[in-house]
Amino acid sequence: RSRTAHAPPARLFPPPHWPLLPRLRRPFRAVFLPRRLCGGAAAAAMLRPPRRLPRPPRRAATAATGPGRRLLLSTPIFYANGPPHIGHLYSALLADALHRHRGLRGAGPGRLSTGTDEHGLKIQQAAAAAGTSPPELCQRVSGLFRQALTQAAVSFTDFTRTSEPRHQRAVRHFWGALRDGGSLYKGSYEGWYCTPEECFLPESQLTERRDAQGRPCKVSLESGHQVHWTKEENYMFKLSAFRDPLQKWLQDNPHAISPDPFYQCVLRWLEEDLPDLSVSRERSRLPWGIPVPSDSTQTIYVWVDALVNYLSVVGYPETHGEWWPAAHHVVGKDILKFHAVYWPRIFVHSHWTVHGQKMSKSLGNVIDPFACIGQYTLDGFRYFLLRQGVPERDCDYYDEKVVKLVNSELADALGGLLNRSTALSINPSNTYPCFSESCFPKVLDYRGTKGMGRASAEDYEFVASVASLPLQVASYFEGFQIYKALECIALCVRQTNGFFQRHRPWKLDRKDPAEQLWLDTIIHVTLECLRVYGTLLQPVIPHTADKLLSRLAVEPEERGLSSLTFLPRYHGKPCPFEGRQLGPDTGILFHRLEKSGRHQIETKKL
Ligand code: ME8
């Protein structure tokens, strides 16, 4: 990807002697961090022992991932130069689903951080264009992001604004750590600067165009944005010195970046030139940012400022050691290099396009998440983005697609199943009926079941696939493939509808005791399936899942993932739900959606 800094050749600035021994020094928490958790050049430089200072004693890492451990999940912090769109919401929903899933697994304390990125030339220019000041613009846009994420039920625990004093203090401290560790030097720097991308671009990533007045100009090959020749005295970060350790770290940690194609992509970048990085701007050109400590002629580069949000949110430089390095960052592919080369463990996703085109303000095709939630309901839209978004490749947005998917999977398949299996005509006692072992006996090999009970080989196969669903879903969440988890659930819902349909319970005669046993068993199996789907869907469609589980009389403490069982009666174990009165019928689980118009943002608003 193109956001590469263009810098003087690294050989002019020989790398210092430094083994990448990731130790923290006072006032950081004195913790020895295992090498495998310390990727990212800036993070590693910050963790490197400073020159001439005694090394702190070794101690075991206290923060690592795994069951029962802490985890800081994050979204990118979004630029406060325009309103939120569905791409931003998608990142946040992925992180939210992971966060909720973890909570339901009882996986230990977790935090989900998000926020707004408020400094830099881009914001300065957007404020000027909107006829306002940067602080006022940021206040307004940051509010819109907070509102959108809240409205979308994103369970964030922290919202960082980079203009906050606590964040600025952390950035200044981080700068000091880089400087004291010998990773910064001052150099004269020139190159093509792309403001919308907030980075320098090399010639190889530029092309010629004509501007509005017909004059030739250079633009970024990838984004089409115009670049400007910029010559400045800047502070440089010795990024080139980190190539070998980064390569080694990534090779030792193949899951540091998921999905795999993005991991491979970062390895390829590291085989190319990795020039040093300009990490400050002249203050006269860029007053809107954090000044370089002890050099008021320079402003800290917005990306150094922004990346530190992952530290400042957990109290850097005092208390971050409780959460670091157990941090997982969800990011879009556009900012992968900033994260994967300068920072550690990343979940990367591709982009949403609209009718095949990149979403952009200039094209006027930006999709407004507020309008989408209003039209498709909160859970409907959350479900669509997470079910349809595939991290490995770009996904195209169409309103028709939302309506079709949500109607077929949530309204018809899931809602229909609940409706059919709880209808008074079929379940007049409104209870979770009993399972009969004689109708559905336990067998070792279901292919030889002819003549035993009432269940067919197909039924055994279907019950086996629902039984394996919780583990399958957990492993897809773990691998950042939430869309695959939802695909599996949707498939099981279809199979359950097939099971119900196949046995036509409405044709069974309740007055015949044998028929009654089978009828109850069919409903019991169906409700067990619905209970599993409701539980597994909580991280994605929290309101609908709550409605479903409440209808099945599943108590809040029975909704965790770690204690999720399926059809225990089949295994001869008691089922706590059997015989229980169902919850009140609060109406249709999910109303079918109407087709609607486009939801573009009115760009003039800001
Ligand atoms: O880059 N589809 O902020 P940003 C999917 N402030 N996701 C999309 C998307 C699309 N079409 N467009 C944007 C920045 N995103 C920096 C980040 S982090 C320390 C600093 C999502 O407002 C995606 O997550 O440009 C992408 O990485 C992010 O928004 C970029 O947001």
Side-chain angles (χ1 to χ4, degrees):
R1 156 84 206 185
S2 61
R3 290 178 169 190
T4 322
H6 180 57
R11 66 189 153 72
L12 289 179
F13 307 96
H17 294 290
W18 63 278
L20 186 69
L21 284 178
R23 269 165 240 245
L24 302 177
R25 75 174 173 95
R26 273 173 292 146
F28 306 133
R29 215 182 134 98
V31 173
F32 174 74
L33 300 169
R35 178 180 282 240
R36 66 180 186 82
L37 291 171
C38 290
M46 180 274 286
L47 299 174
R48 220 172 61 197
R51 290 168 182 172
R52 297 185 302 276
L53 275 176
R55 286 177 175 169
R58 281 188 177 212
R59 265 207 256 151
T62 52
T65 54
R69 304 282 170 83
R70 291 165 185 265
L71 182 70
L72 169 66
L73 267 162
S74 69
T75 76
I77 47 168
F78 304 107
Y79 282 129
N81 67 333
H85 60 59
I86 59 163
H88 303 127
L89 181 60
Y90 178 56
S91 296
L93 288 183
L94 285 169
D96 176 53
L98 294 174
H99 181 58
R100 285 174 183 267
H101 189 261
R102 223 182 145 263
L104 288 162
R105 270 181 18 232
R111 279 166 84 162
L112 172 54
S113 77
T114 188
T116 42
D117 191 353
E118 307 191 359
H119 292 133
L121 203 52
K122 187 169 165 135
I123 309 291
Q124 196 174 291
Q125 289 179 352
T132 182
S133 66
E136 268 168 20
L137 177 77
C138 292
Q139 176 76 15
R140 204 177 328 146
V141 177
S142 185
L144 285 178
F145 271 98
R146 190 186 268 275
Q147 190 189 348
L149 299 182
T150 305
Q151 201 167 319
V154 174
S155 55
F156 61 88
T157 55
D158 298 87
F159 190 100
T160 300
R161 296 186 56 189
T162 56
S163 55
E164 287 166 66
R166 66 173 176 136
H167 172 78
Q168 302 201 21
R169 183 175 150 263
V171 173
R172 284 194 294 271
H173 194 96
F174 186 83
W175 181 276
L178 293 182
R179 185 196 52 213
D180 295 350
S183 293
L184 301 179
Y185 62 89
K186 209 163 181 188
S188 171
Y189 189 84
E190 54 188 301
W192 293 103
Y193 195 74
C194 179
T195 304
E197 295 181 34
E198 290 283 20
C199 64
F200 284 94
L201 293 174
E203 284 283 352
S204 60
Q205 282 161 26
L206 302 176
T207 184
E208 295 255 334
R209 288 257 170 83
R210 298 215 164 253
D211 66 13
Q213 285 76 42
R215 290 175 306 221
C217 68
K218 294 225 184 229
V219 297
S220 158
L221 252 182
E222 180 143 342
S223 68
H225 293 299
Q226 194 170 347
V227 294
H228 298 278
W229 188 255
T230 311
K231 187 174 178 184
E232 290 185 358
E233 272 267 290
N234 286 162
Y235 286 94
M236 304 293 294
F237 171 63
K238 290 175 183 165
L239 180 62
S240 54
F242 288 86
R243 187 219 296 266
D244 292 350
L246 264 180
Q247 277 175 329
K248 166 129 190 30
W249 183 78
L250 283 170
Q251 276 149 9
D252 292 348
N253 294 278
H255 300 297
I257 299 165
S258 312
D260 189 64
F262 292 114
Y263 168 73
Q264 300 297 343
C265 174
V266 174
L267 285 180
R268 280 195 303 277
W269 285 335
L270 288 172
E271 272 162 25
E272 294 163 12
D273 198 22
L274 190 66
D276 289 351
L277 180 71
S278 159
V279 285
S280 69
R281 300 282 174 269
E282 270 175 19
R283 194 140 188 90
S284 56
R285 289 175 203 251
L286 180 62
W288 181 237
I290 304 174
V292 166
S294 66
D295 184 350
S296 58
T297 66
Q298 296 275 317
T299 300
I300 296 178
Y301 177 39
V302 63
W303 268 100
V304 174
D305 177 347
L307 286 166
V308 172
N309 95 85
Y310 302 129
L311 282 170
S312 66
V313 69
V314 283
Y316 175 82
E318 285 88 18
T319 55
H320 65 289
E322 288 168 23
W323 291 91
W324 260 73
H328 290 188
H329 309 300
V330 173
V331 304
K333 62 180 184 174
D334 52 326
I335 57 176
L336 174 58
K337 182 172 264 175
F338 290 93
H339 284 78
V341 177
Y342 316 151
W343 216 252
R345 167 143 194 192
I346 324 289
F347 286 136
V348 193
H349 64 78
S350 297
H351 281 177
W352 282 92
T353 55
V354 178
H355 290 251
Q357 281 185 308
K358 192 178 157 80
M359 243 191 300
S360 87
K361 271 193 246 169
S362 46
L363 288 172
N365 64 350
V366 174
I367 303 289
D368 174 7
F370 290 109
C372 290
I373 291 173
Q375 179 74 30
Y376 303 127
T377 74
L378 172 56
D379 278 3
F381 199 57
R382 283 178 62 108
Y383 186 78
F384 169 75
L385 286 181
L386 292 173
R387 165 83 167 89
Q388 202 70 39
V390 177
E392 287 91 332
R393 52 181 184 272
D394 285 353
C395 307
D396 204 25
Y397 179 86
Y398 285 90
D399 287 301
E400 298 73 21
K401 237 193 219 173
V402 189
V403 176
K404 210 168 147 198
L405 180 91
V406 169
N407 278 349
S408 100
E409 295 191 354
L410 290 186
D412 299 345
L414 189 68
L417 187 62
L418 178 70
N419 193 32
R420 296 165 95 190
S421 54
T422 53
L424 276 186
S425 54
I426 213 159
N427 184 4
S429 61
N430 198 35
T431 53
Y432 214 100
C434 293
F435 177 86
S436 152
E437 285 135 328
S438 61
C439 293
F440 212 133
K442 184 168 176 168
V443 291
L444 287 177
D445 181 359
Y446 56 76
R447 279 162 295 210
T449 55
K450 277 201 190 76
M452 292 176 62
R454 305 277 302 250
S456 65
E458 215 175 346
D459 297 335
Y460 281 96
E461 211 167 325
F462 140 68
V463 159
S465 62
V466 182
S468 65
L469 190 65
L471 262 183
Q472 228 175 344
V473 166
S475 96
Y476 282 134
F477 266 79
E478 186 65 20
F480 195 49
Q481 294 191 304
I482 296 171
Y483 74 103
K484 281 203 181 154
L486 296 179
E487 198 174 284
C488 290
I489 299 174
L491 181 70
C492 282
V493 174
R494 270 206 300 282
Q495 286 181 332
T496 318
N497 270 307
F499 164 77
F500 200 81
Q501 188 69 24
R502 193 157 59 239
H503 296 299
R504 303 167 161 262
W506 56 91
K507 294 263 186 207
L508 296 173
D509 180 6
R510 271 198 178 273
K511 289 186 209 91
D512 174 343
E515 298 277 276
Q516 161 99 49
L517 281 182
W518 180 223
L519 171 58
D520 283 351
T521 303
I522 296 170
I523 300 176
H524 180 97
V525 171
T526 308
L527 297 190
E528 277 290 280
C529 291
L530 280 166
R531 185 173 62 78
V532 167
Y533 307 147
T535 308
L536 294 175
L537 284 168
Q538 291 174 99
V540 174
I541 44 170
H543 299 290
T544 309
D546 174 46
K547 193 167 173 184
L548 170 56
L549 293 172
S550 300
R551 177 72 174 111
L552 300 182
V554 181
E555 298 294 336
E557 62 278 9
E558 295 168 327
R559 299 178 182 188
L561 289 171
S562 52
S563 54
L564 181 59
T565 53
F566 169 63
L567 212 54
R569 293 282 283 102
Y570 175 72
H571 299 284
K573 298 196 180 121
C575 170
F577 302 95
E578 208 173 56
R580 205 183 270 188
Q581 194 66 32
L582 292 184
D585 181 1
T586 50
I588 289 181
L589 181 68
F590 195 95
H591 287 273
R592 281 180 69 80
L593 301 173
E594 297 296 329
K595 202 174 156 297
S596 80
R598 304 278 297 278
H599 299 105
Q600 284 166 16
I601 288 175
E602 195 36 78
T603 40
K604 282 194 288 294
K605 255 186 220 154
L606 284 177

